[in-house]
Amino acid sequence: MSPASNTSAIFVLNITLMAEKKQERGSAEVPKVPFAQTNFDFLYDSFHHPLTDVITGEGIGGEIAMIGLNKKGELKHFEHTSQTREAENELCKYAKARDVEVLDLKLSRYYNDLRGTMDDTFKYILCFYKGVAEYLKGNYDQAEKSFQYCFNLFDGDPQLYYNIGITYMMKKQYYKAIVMMEWCCKLDPHHPYAVNNLAYLSILLKKYKEASDACADAYAVNRSARNYFRNWAVALLNQKLFSEAVEVVKEAIENNPLDYKNWVVWGEIMKTKGEFEVAKEMYGNAIQINDKDPYPKQELAKLDLITKDNVNEELQDIIVKLSEQKKTQGLKKREDTCI
């Protein structure tokens, strides 16, 4: 667990309100397009969605106590007891299994058994997993309320920022989601998914420089992570930084050569550069790995037509040149005959 942030829950909520106002002024209805038609709107669907993949891992505070600030800015010190540890492990198990029915039953049991006696640590745990349960049911407004309430108890858990961030993503409140992902990255630079989602959101809003900067910063901190490299390459592509984009996508492929979407991105880079034969090869590699996705097939077919047309144009040019040469030679023979 990263150390608690130096901000109070009030400050966190104020940031969220600022993001809300920004979104009202900006683009509240940003379309989520897996891949757009034009090259420089290209966004190959790459964001980590299930919050249950990482929930809290080793537990909210690991083996150490949680220290944070409450709503009044007072220092809070949460100590795990055997009871809170047992409760969290149990709830985490059902959340990761996506067994919402049992998760709801367990939460109700804890709320009823501990009504009026639970401490802040227990309140945080139950509220946190209540948010997870509501998220899994698709009740994003209720999930948001539960996660926001957690800020009143403890605002130093990066996973809380991540969870509310993807909740905002599902509600298409992208600016608010970006704020939460940024805070998650600040509190935990090694978070496995936050940087990737931050880059994805920035690309979605056409903030390509911000996306590539976030990835570069993450790479400087942790060079072993690679799961955000596809979005990094897409961000560079949209800035027409082709050489850098190729280097990044090569590393992504080196890390996972069977991820066909990385080959698609490489194909997209080469297509945009006008290197159609190389692009066709990359799309072909993607199709060999996964022939179910229609996109690389469509792009390959388009490039086949383009290259075929180019060949036909070249042949036409050759025919015209040969015809002109024959005419010239014919005129020369006539001139020689006349002499």
Side-chain angles (χ1 to χ4, degrees), residues 33 38 66 77 85 96 105 126 135 157 221 225 228 277 290 317 325-326 330 333:
V33 185
T38 57
M66 295 192 300
H77 191 85
R85 174 67 67 201
K96 286 189 174 182
L105 287 172
L126 296 185
Y135 177 94
D157 182 0
V221 173
Y228 55 85
E277 291 301 329
N290 181 355
D317 288 342
Q325 285 177 3
K326 284 182 179 178
K333 281 182 181 178

Side-chain angles (χ1 to χ4, degrees), residues 65-284:
M66 295 192 300
I67 302 174
L69 298 172
N70 67 3
K71 190 172 182 179
K72 296 178 182 178
E74 299 165 338
L75 192 66
K76 302 292 290 186
H77 191 85
F78 292 172
E79 292 284 359
H80 262 304
T81 64
S82 59
Q83 189 181 26
T84 57
R85 174 67 67 201
E86 180 184 349
E88 193 198 357
N89 287 340
E90 183 178 39
L91 295 170
C92 187
K93 178 178 71 174
Y94 292 112
K96 286 189 174 182
R98 296 173 173 269
D99 193 337
V100 181
E101 186 177 350
V102 176
L103 182 59
D104 272 337
L105 287 172
K106 295 293 182 182
L107 285 166
S108 297
R109 190 197 75 191
Y110 282 118
Y111 276 119
N112 291 330
D113 291 350
L114 301 170
R115 191 180 301 277
T117 63
M118 71 177 76
D119 60 12
D120 284 349
T121 307
F122 235 122
K123 285 179 185 176
Y124 182 91
I125 292 169
L126 296 185
C127 191
F128 183 96
Y129 284 99
K130 178 65 175 172
V132 172
E134 295 300 335
Y135 177 94
L136 292 175
K137 288 185 284 187
N139 298 333
Y140 303 121
D141 289 337
Q142 292 303 315
E144 179 188 352
K145 287 179 182 178
S146 293
F147 292 139
Q148 287 284 8
Y149 182 77
C150 288
F151 281 128
N152 298 331
L153 300 167
F154 179 62
D155 67 353
D157 182 0
Q159 189 58 34
L160 175 60
Y161 290 87
Y162 177 81
N163 285 6
I164 196 170
I166 60 170
T167 302
Y168 286 145
M169 286 174 75
M170 301 309 294
K171 294 177 69 175
K172 297 185 179 180
Q173 296 176 355
Y174 300 122
Y175 285 103
K176 291 166 72 174
I178 283 177
V179 171
M180 294 297 112
M181 291 299 169
E182 285 175 340
W183 272 101
C184 180
C185 291
K186 286 177 184 176
L187 289 168
D188 182 6
H190 296 273
H191 191 282
Y193 300 146
V195 173
N196 184 70
N197 285 1
L198 178 57
Y200 177 87
L201 286 162
S202 298
I203 294 168
L204 196 65
L205 298 174
K206 303 187 187 301
K207 295 178 178 292
Y208 306 121
K209 179 69 163 56
E210 288 88 337
S212 58
D213 285 350
C215 293
D217 291 344
Y219 187 60
V221 173
N222 179 13
R223 291 178 177 270
S224 62
R226 292 288 189 279
N227 64 350
Y228 55 85
F229 270 45
R230 179 157 67 247
N231 280 334
W232 192 359
V234 170
L236 293 167
L237 163 63
N238 281 281
Q239 296 173 76
K240 301 185 183 181
L241 300 173
F242 302 124
S243 298
E244 293 91 331
V246 168
E247 289 306 311
V248 168
V249 82
K250 278 182 179 179
E251 283 207 46
I253 289 171
E254 184 180 334
N255 184 62
N256 185 3
L258 296 180
D259 185 344
Y260 79 98
K261 291 183 179 181
N262 289 330
W263 292 102
V264 173
V265 171
W266 196 348
E268 202 72 16
I269 296 166
M270 305 317 292
K271 180 185 74 176
T272 306
K273 285 184 70 179
E275 298 184 19
F276 298 138
E277 291 301 329
V278 181
K280 286 166 64 175
E281 182 184 348
M282 298 308 143
Y283 288 131

Side-chain angles (χ1 to χ4, degrees), residues 51-62:
L51 57 82
T52 51
D53 279 357
V54 287
I55 294 184
T56 50
E58 294 298 320
I60 291 172

